[in-house]
Amino acid sequence: MENVIYDISKEYRDIVEEVSKKYHYSEDLKHVLNKILPVMLENRSCEDRMTFYNMLRVTPIVVVAEGSNVTTKDLKDQYIGDINSHIQEEEVDIGEYGRAKAAGFFYSEPILDEKLSIKGSKQFIYITALDTSKSTYTKNDRYQKFQTPINVPHLIHELGHAWSSQDNHYSIEGNILKERAGTATITYQITPLENGTFSKKEISREGLMTEEALNTNMEQASVANYLKMSKEKAKQLYKTGGCLVPSSYMGSMSVLTEHLTEEPIIKNLVEKWRIHGDQKVLESINAFMEKTPTYQNRCVKKSYEDRKKEIFDNPPSPKIASFFKRCRSDFFPEVQDMTSMQMVENALQQCYDVVTNMLAFNMSEEKEKNLYMSLIQSATIDVYGMLADVREQSKEENIDKAK
């Protein structure tokens, strides 16, 4: 019997054609998607690919020219609508993450009926493109590299979030609503008001920094494949003088999660947990990492902890004092109650806090520059120790198998 070679490129083209017709995408966006799918889905399982295609079918991609007067509210009104008019959302302070202005985003909202049953959801991706009404747009460095006004890296990044949110996106139990976005879980409390109305308030978020850092790893690898260059060369595009604007998740955060996924067994488990939201997979990751000496000794007092407390008690400038006051709790967590992946999340959160407050530090002053670096190092030292233990543990297991 003659072997039939499956044409996966046709699978990609067919889904792009389908969603392009459904949402009336431009030829340019259609062309970009035809290039993105092979690089994002390379070597992924059939299950992962189907999840990605299902996401594309329900997620319109909105491309807006840079400098446009279109607001987030305009987009939500058009693509989400007033689907939960009986629910009032309360504003809460979500720390440094809430202060950052996004150049693109994936937005989703559940559809809840009057009895708080989930009846579905609506979502969209928003990204920017160079303003083609300006004749100079083709001279832009990013356009020269990607040959499109569309911000391809941002599109890849937001597609990554949407993909990792497709399965098991929302769940509700009583008055507690949970939103899963990859490795992140955002929890809301819904409280009855009067006349059949409710208030909705975010009460916790977990795993968000891990999701952002892992998604950034995926973005950088996909950009490298998109441009047919090495990952290291692609990373240079985000650095000073490159054509891409780096995000706060690059550098210390994305490097840490790259190390996290270096070990094949951890990488496979993390990808499965992230795309499909299986809590049993997360338990397997924690069980594997919590056998390490670094995790077992997490409550043993470290020499750098006294130094960190001294720094926080004696900030060298008013700007740094303000930063320390807002974020202090992130830097002094109760590690005895944390799982291994919660320790990873906390390390990433500390890195994010430091990076997004870089302007508080006078980097021309050696003292403040060293302080900045020491905060990053103290944030990540235990996680790197845990990962080094994991590598040693895997090496020993492989030796035992070979005997």
Side-chain angles (χ1 to χ4, degrees):
M1 187 175 175
E2 194 174 310
N3 289 332
V4 177
I5 298 174
Y6 181 68
D7 183 4
I8 196 167
S9 61
K10 183 179 184 302
E11 181 179 296
Y12 298 149
R13 291 194 303 272
D14 286 348
I15 185 63
V16 170
E17 186 66 33
E18 178 188 335
V19 297
S20 296
K21 281 183 178 178
K22 179 177 182 178
Y23 295 117
H24 309 289
Y25 291 155
S26 68
E27 285 300 315
D28 190 26
L29 178 54
K30 182 177 170 182
H31 174 71
V32 167
L33 287 172
N34 272 315
K35 292 186 69 176
I36 283 178
L37 264 65
V39 300
M40 287 188 73
L41 299 177
E42 184 180 34
N43 299 323
R44 300 308 291 247
S45 68
C46 180
E47 183 185 14
D48 289 354
R49 297 199 312 275
M50 294 307 125
T51 300
F52 191 96
Y53 303 156
N54 289 336
M55 174 275 294
L56 285 180
R57 290 185 175 105
V58 297
T59 314
I61 299 166
V62 187
V63 183
V64 178
E66 290 175 0
S68 166
N69 292 325
V70 175
T71 65
T72 300
K73 183 181 182 303
D74 294 335
L75 294 170
K76 289 179 182 178
D77 287 346
Q78 182 175 352
Y79 291 94
I80 304 297
D82 194 10
I83 57 175
N84 292 314
S85 57
H86 55 303
I87 299 175
Q88 303 168 19
E89 186 142 9
E90 293 184 36
E91 286 191 17
V92 294
D93 184 357
I94 56 174
E96 307 309 284
Y97 188 82
R99 293 178 178 84
K101 187 177 179 181
F105 56 79
F106 163 64
Y107 184 82
S108 174
E109 199 170 315
I111 302 170
L112 300 172
D113 67 13
E114 290 74 13
K115 294 180 180 179
L116 300 183
S117 295
I118 298 171
K119 296 301 181 182
S121 63
K122 295 188 77 174
Q123 59 196 47
F124 67 93
I125 285 171
Y126 154 76
I127 56 159
T128 58
L130 298 169
D131 187 349
T132 55
S133 68
K134 296 178 179 178
S135 60
T136 56
Y137 80 92
T138 57
K139 296 178 182 177
N140 178 278
D141 288 344
R142 195 185 74 221
Y143 181 91
Q144 293 290 319
K145 183 63 69 176
F146 290 89
Q147 290 297 298
T148 174
I150 293 169
N151 193 324
V152 173
H154 280 176
L155 177 54
I156 289 171
H157 190 91
E158 301 312 326
L159 283 169
H161 283 316
W163 181 20
S164 66
S165 302
Q166 181 62 27
D167 288 351
N168 306 310
H169 194 17
Y170 291 104
S171 62
I172 192 163
E173 189 171 336
N175 67 336
I176 299 297
L177 173 70
K178 291 193 174 183
E179 176 184 1
R180 187 192 76 83
T183 66
T185 299
I186 304 169
T187 304
Y188 305 88
Q189 181 170 298
I190 301 181
T191 305
L193 300 174
E194 56 184 21
N195 302 322
T197 61
F198 302 85
S199 69
K200 174 185 164 191
K201 181 180 181 181
E202 181 182 325
I203 55 174
S204 71
R205 51 178 57 203
E206 186 173 339
L208 184 59
M209 294 296 105
T210 306
E211 168 62 18
E212 289 290 7
L214 288 169
N215 201 43
T216 297
N217 296 146
M218 182 277 302
E219 174 196 331
Q220 291 179 318
S222 297
V223 165
N225 288 339
Y226 189 98
L227 295 174
K228 295 180 171 56
M229 61 174 59
S230 71
K231 200 189 316 185
E232 289 310 310
K233 194 171 180 183
K235 284 180 182 179
Q236 294 301 315
L237 300 177
Y238 293 92
K239 294 187 175 176
T240 304
C243 65
L244 301 177
V245 178
S247 73
S248 300
Y249 315 120
M250 291 175 186
S252 57
M253 291 179 68
S254 59
V255 169
L256 190 149
T257 46
E258 270 190 333
H259 281 282
L260 172 70
T261 54
E262 270 180 0
E263 195 59 44
I265 187 170
I266 297 289
K267 177 182 173 66
N268 293 335
L269 288 170
V270 166
E271 286 181 351
K272 191 172 182 182
W273 167 43
R274 183 171 175 242
I275 297 298
H276 302 293
D278 188 337
Q279 287 301 300
K280 289 183 179 177
V281 176
L282 174 57
E283 289 168 13
S284 297
I285 298 168
N286 281 324
F288 191 81
M289 294 177 65
E290 287 169 11
K291 290 187 280 185
T292 62
T294 300
Y295 180 81
Q296 295 293 321
N297 295 321
R298 67 194 180 283
C299 297
V300 176
K301 195 169 185 182
K302 317 294 191 309
S303 59
Y304 65 82
E305 289 176 348
D306 287 337
R307 170 63 180 147
K308 185 165 66 171
K309 188 176 185 305
E310 183 186 333
I311 290 168
F312 268 74
D313 289 343
N314 300 282
S317 73
K319 284 184 178 179
I320 293 175
S322 176
F323 156 48
F324 283 175
K325 185 178 179 181
R326 288 196 312 275
C327 301
R328 187 182 183 101
S329 62
D330 292 335
F331 290 83
F332 299 95
E334 298 293 334
V335 292
Q336 68 268 21
D337 300 324
M338 287 183 168
T339 66
S340 58
M341 284 308 298
Q342 285 172 337
M343 286 178 66
V344 171
E345 173 70 12
N346 176 253
L348 292 168
Q349 182 66 61
Q350 290 181 48
C351 290
Y352 183 81
D353 291 346
V354 175
V355 170
T356 53
N357 285 281
M358 181 185 281
L359 294 179
F361 296 81
N362 182 353
M363 300 301 265
S364 63
E365 291 282 338
E366 198 67 24
K367 182 181 177 182
E368 292 195 19
K369 184 178 178 180
N370 289 338
L371 171 58
Y372 178 92
M373 294 307 301
S374 70
L375 287 173
I376 296 287
Q377 288 164 359
S378 69
T380 58
I381 188 168
D382 280 347
V383 173
Y384 277 121
M386 212 161 34
L387 298 179
D389 291 344
V390 165
R391 282 193 296 276
E392 193 60 36
Q393 188 175 292
S394 296
K395 200 184 299 179
E396 289 172 4
E397 288 177 2
N398 288 333
I399 290 170
D400 288 342
K401 283 179 187 176
K403 286 179 180 177

